[in-house]
Amino acid sequence: MPNRKEFYFPSSDGITKIHAIEWTPEGEPKGVYQIAHGVAEYALRYEPFAEFLTGKGFVVVANDHIGHGLSVAEGAAPLYFGEKDGWTHVVDDMYALRNLSSQKYPGVPYFLMGHSMGSFLARTFLIRYPGKVHAAVIMGTGQQPGFMVAGGKLAAAVFGKKGGFDKFNATVDNLAFGAYNKPFEPKRTSFDWLSANTENVDRYIADPLCGGQTTVGLFRDMLGGIGFISKASNLAKMDKNTPVLFISGAMDPVGDLGKGTTKAYESFKKAGVRDVSLKLYPGLRHEILNEKEADQVRADIWAWVEAHM
């Protein structure tokens, strides 16, 4: 097992203590690899991948986003970013972790990876903080049509005003995640879309820090972020010299079975990013790091990282 240190730092929301983890290798680090996790999960789920990377000489850091894992303020609703500017605060917290880590380990390449919701956060990071990471890996991402984003935001606004943005709403939840299992009927569980690896799905369901009832406010904030990263005027603000790898399962419904992931990749090309590549795995679903083919996925990510040192 790698050396693991857990610590807290203050969130930019002024309320939450952000739980973070640092995994360190033996000897001098070759680089730092920061991970942004997805919705309804938490940083420690990435420990097997962190162990792989520390074995390659990298420091790995990750934090639980506001409302996730151990980053839930006393009295706050789980899976809720906050009343206002939640998406901004979560990205700023990622930047704060980046600054803490880069100050501790200066002069080495710094990589950022975001998975699922974390992929949308990482894409926002690349726009808001251009040139602040050496390269980025965008995993399990998609590109939702504008009319879907607008419709979802309207629904979230209506149901949030009616019942509270810090509350769960079944209609909004179904709009957000209800269609994900359709390609995998007849379904065994409500989370078959996560992984073809049934052991991983069962672990996720049994984990008290995974799943749960996503609030209307988190759905609202995530759609706002997705809208932000879809605008060409915002993509133009990225550092075009930052290499980016898009990597997903070809059967990932978040990426519309590869079509949405491809659209996101093409939007970066169109924005002028000079080194952008796409890797889709046939048969794999959303959590490619937890599929039975995870060894191949890790090896492919490492080959790309090593080529971009």
Side-chain angles (χ1 to χ4, degrees), residues 7-20 63-74 76 93:
F7 61 98
Y8 288 83
F9 64 89
S11 170
S12 71
D13 72 358
I15 301 166
T16 311
K17 291 180 180 177
I18 297 297
H19 173 249
N63 67 275
D64 296 339
H65 304 309
I66 298 169
H68 290 72
L70 301 181
S71 296
V72 183
E74 189 175 347
D93 292 342

Side-chain angles (χ1 to χ4, degrees), residues 24-32 52-59 302:
T24 52
E26 299 296 331
E28 287 297 309
K30 298 176 182 174
V32 181
F52 170 81
L53 289 172
T54 56
K56 302 292 188 182
F58 263 63
V59 172
W302 174 248

Side-chain angles (χ1 to χ4, degrees), residues 2 8 19 26 44 141-142 161 168 185 204 209 243 268:
Y8 288 83
H19 173 249
E26 299 296 331
L44 198 54
T141 205
K161 285 174 183 173
F168 172 80
E185 298 287 358
Y204 180 92
L209 293 180
F268 272 54

Side-chain angles (χ1 to χ4, degrees), residues 9-18 66 81 84-96 128-129:
F9 64 89
S11 170
S12 71
D13 72 358
I15 301 166
T16 311
K17 291 180 180 177
I18 297 297
I66 298 169
F81 286 161
K84 188 180 179 187
D85 298 328
W87 194 261
T88 297
H89 290 312
V90 174
V91 175
D92 285 346
D93 292 342
M94 289 165 56
Y95 185 55
R128 290 192 50 220
Y129 296 109

Side-chain angles (χ1 to χ4, degrees), residues 69-266:
L70 301 181
S71 296
V72 183
E74 189 175 347
L79 304 182
Y80 180 57
F81 286 161
E83 188 178 336
K84 188 180 179 187
D85 298 328
W87 194 261
T88 297
H89 290 312
V90 174
V91 175
D92 285 346
D93 292 342
M94 289 165 56
Y95 185 55
L97 179 59
R98 177 262 178 208
N99 287 342
L100 288 169
S101 304
S102 60
Q103 286 164 16
K104 190 173 180 181
Y105 303 102
V108 296
Y110 199 105
F111 288 76
L112 173 65
M113 183 184 91
H115 169 69
S116 193
M117 178 183 72
S119 77
F120 302 125
L121 290 164
R123 288 161 64 182
T124 307
F125 184 106
L126 293 175
I127 293 167
R128 290 192 50 220
Y129 296 109
K132 296 300 184 182
V133 294
H134 185 79
V137 178
I138 308 297
M139 177 185 289
T141 205
Q143 190 87 341
Q144 285 69 19
F147 72 90
M148 285 181 64
V149 174
K153 286 172 73 174
L154 178 62
V158 170
F159 287 103
K161 285 174 183 173
K162 186 178 178 182
F165 286 100
D166 62 346
K167 300 295 190 294
F168 172 80
N169 180 277
T171 302
V172 171
D173 190 72
N174 189 57
L175 274 173
F177 308 111
Y180 285 170
N181 245 358
K182 285 183 180 176
F184 312 110
E185 298 287 358
K187 66 182 181 182
R188 187 180 69 92
T189 75
S190 297
F191 294 100
D192 288 4
W193 61 273
L194 284 178
S195 179
N197 180 0
T198 56
E199 293 172 8
N200 176 50
V201 173
D202 291 343
R203 278 195 302 270
Y204 180 92
I205 292 169
D207 192 329
L209 293 180
C210 286
Q213 295 190 328
T214 308
T215 60
V216 176
L218 190 142
F219 182 57
R220 169 201 64 192
D221 293 345
M222 184 157 54
L223 283 171
I226 289 169
F228 178 85
I229 62 177
S230 299
K231 292 180 180 175
S233 57
N234 289 330
L235 290 170
K237 298 172 185 175
M238 295 189 296
D239 185 336
K240 310 305 187 297
N241 292 316
T242 301
V244 179
L245 169 65
F246 285 88
I247 186 168
S248 290
M251 292 301 292
D252 181 356
V254 174
D256 193 16
L257 310 185
K259 293 190 287 291
T261 313
T262 302
K263 285 178 183 174
Y265 156 75
E266 288 172 346

Side-chain angles (χ1 to χ4, degrees), residues 33 49 52-53 56 111 113 137 139 245-248 277-282 284 288-289 293-308:
Y33 197 99
F49 186 47
F52 170 81
L53 289 172
K56 302 292 188 182
F111 288 76
M113 183 184 91
V137 178
M139 177 185 289
L245 169 65
F246 285 88
I247 186 168
S248 290
S277 47
L278 171 67
K279 175 81 176 175
L280 296 173
Y281 292 89
L284 301 199
I288 58 175
L289 282 173
E293 297 82 355
D295 285 348
Q296 183 61 55
V297 175
R298 287 194 289 260
D300 290 343
I301 292 172
W302 174 248
W304 186 85
V305 167
E306 200 171 29
H308 291 86

